[in-house]
Amino acid sequence: MSMPEKSVTTRPLKAADRAEWDVLYQGYATFYKVEQTSEMRDRVFGWLMDADHTSNGIVAENAAGKLIGLTHYRPFVSCLGARTNCFLDDLFVDPAARGSGAADALIKAVADVARENGWPVVRWITADDNYRGRGVYDKLATRTMWITYDHKV
């Protein structure tokens, strides 16, 4: 699953990645101004390490083996399409590593997993003001016309 992109490789997240993943995931929460506690990160990492949970993780490493990015993904059903697709939940690259090709490599790694599983679409959302991220996404995927709503219960 390694994919070179300017000396960036990707691989599945491992338990030994916990400390570096924690720093990156906190950075992701900070980027989106979401309050994040260590208990919340414990829960998410637990899901990612649980083979029976639908959430999975892939990390990007630089040439020195340091984690510089992460993504989480899971299958989701499309009833209208009568198929299972892939939802990319989170994608974050350390600000110091932006422009390294890590985001492209992470998305391509998720696409490889989707292809292997017969999931024909990888879907994700991003903030309207995430201009840098959207610049990458616009090159790799098709922006849809769908508007997202949250109904809090």
Side-chain angles (χ1 to χ4, degrees), residues 13 47-48 50-51 53-58 71-75 119:
L13 179 69
W47 293 340
L48 295 167
D50 181 349
H53 199 278
T54 59
S55 296
N56 300 280
I58 295 174
T71 189
H72 305 141
Y73 67 92
R74 61 188 159 81
W119 305 333

Side-chain angles (χ1 to χ4, degrees), residues 8 13 17 19 33 43 51 64 76 81 95 109 131:
V8 172
L13 179 69
D17 297 326
K33 298 174 180 67
R43 183 178 312 135
F76 79 95
Y131 301 112

Side-chain angles (χ1 to χ4, degrees), residues 5 8 12 20 27 44 49 53-54 64 66 69 77 80 83-84 89 96 101 105-106 108 120 132 135 141 148 150:
E5 286 276 338
V8 172
E20 288 183 277
V44 173
M49 293 296 105
H53 199 278
T54 59
K66 179 184 186 317
V77 296
L80 191 59
R83 64 183 181 212
T84 301
D89 282 302
L106 287 163
K108 288 176 184 174
R132 184 163 188 158
T148 302
D150 284 343

Side-chain angles (χ1 to χ4, degrees), residues 72-76 85-89 121-125:
H72 305 141
Y73 67 92
R74 61 188 159 81
F76 79 95
N85 290 318
C86 179
F87 198 86
L88 191 157
D89 282 302
V121 172
V122 176
R123 177 173 295 157
W124 65 92
I125 62 173

